[in-house]
Amino acid sequence: MREIGIPHPRLSLPPGGGEDDMGEFLAWLGEAIPLVEHLGIREMTRDGDRLAWQLALAPSLNDKGTGFGGAIAAQTTLLGWCWTTLWLRRHGYARDVVVAQATQRFLAPVTGDYRLECLPEHDDGVAGLTERLASRGKGRIALVQRLWCGETLCLEARGDYAVLPAG
């Protein structure tokens, strides 16, 4: 059980800056952030710069029988945090990541299980983060999350994620 004010131990970096095992990362995430086990995450995959979750709607139902905006907002914020953390790990950085700003725009009700995707907002986002980490030891990246229920785009979100300096 997690204790308030006590950081959870970091997951060891993958050997040689390699890929994380997504199942292992999700298991660690569930220990580090107890809310994760209640989010309905079924699967996490990555394709290039796109990180995606498949989610069950049932844990996030509202009183109308559709997706609860607060739960979905938490999911988008956490997916961006995961994107940034996994990118750092792949590049050999064990750093703290925090969300600096997040917004959501709800476009349609979420009426069934769904897919949530995250990727950099700008084509040069990764290059900019890489440069700032090298020159200043810290950085920031803007990410976009999109929630798809079947072929319907139900939500677009944006977040700025700050990578804190080592130490």
Side-chain angles (χ1 to χ4, degrees):
M1 174 130 163
R2 292 294 317 280
E3 291 185 45
I4 296 171
I6 306 296
H8 189 71
R10 290 183 196 261
L11 185 62
S12 298
L13 288 172
E19 300 287 326
D20 274 286
D21 175 287
M22 293 297 177
E24 179 184 7
F25 182 80
L26 270 176
W28 171 84
L29 189 65
E31 294 170 5
I33 303 172
L35 176 66
V36 167
E37 72 178 70
H38 304 286
L39 294 179
I41 302 168
R42 291 182 170 170
E43 181 182 17
M44 181 167 68
T45 57
R46 191 182 48 208
D47 181 15
D49 280 341
R50 182 180 312 270
L51 183 65
W53 284 346
Q54 298 292 331
L55 297 111
L57 175 58
S60 299
L61 284 174
N62 65 18
D63 58 319
K64 295 161 215 51
T66 60
F68 173 56
I72 292 168
Q75 292 165 352
T76 62
T77 301
L78 183 58
L79 183 59
W81 182 91
C82 288
W83 188 100
T84 308
T85 298
L86 287 166
W87 184 90
L88 289 166
R89 292 172 54 73
R90 235 178 16 259
H91 293 87
Y93 293 99
R95 296 287 183 81
D96 287 329
V97 174
V98 296
V99 62
Q101 182 177 356
T103 60
Q104 301 83 32
R105 188 170 66 127
F106 295 87
L107 306 168
V110 179
T111 58
D113 294 349
Y114 53 99
R115 180 177 78 253
L116 189 56
E117 300 176 342
C118 180
L119 63 155
E121 182 176 37
H122 305 289
D123 291 339
D124 62 351
V126 169
L129 177 60
T130 302
E131 186 278 321
R132 285 185 293 280
L133 285 170
S135 66
R136 293 186 246 171
K138 62 181 181 177
R140 188 180 277 223
I141 188 164
L143 301 173
V144 174
Q145 299 89 17
R146 292 185 179 95
L147 186 154
W148 298 89
C149 192
E151 296 302 314
T152 303
L153 178 60
C154 297
L155 171 133
E156 290 182 319
R158 181 189 178 285
D160 288 332
Y161 295 82
V163 179
L164 304 180

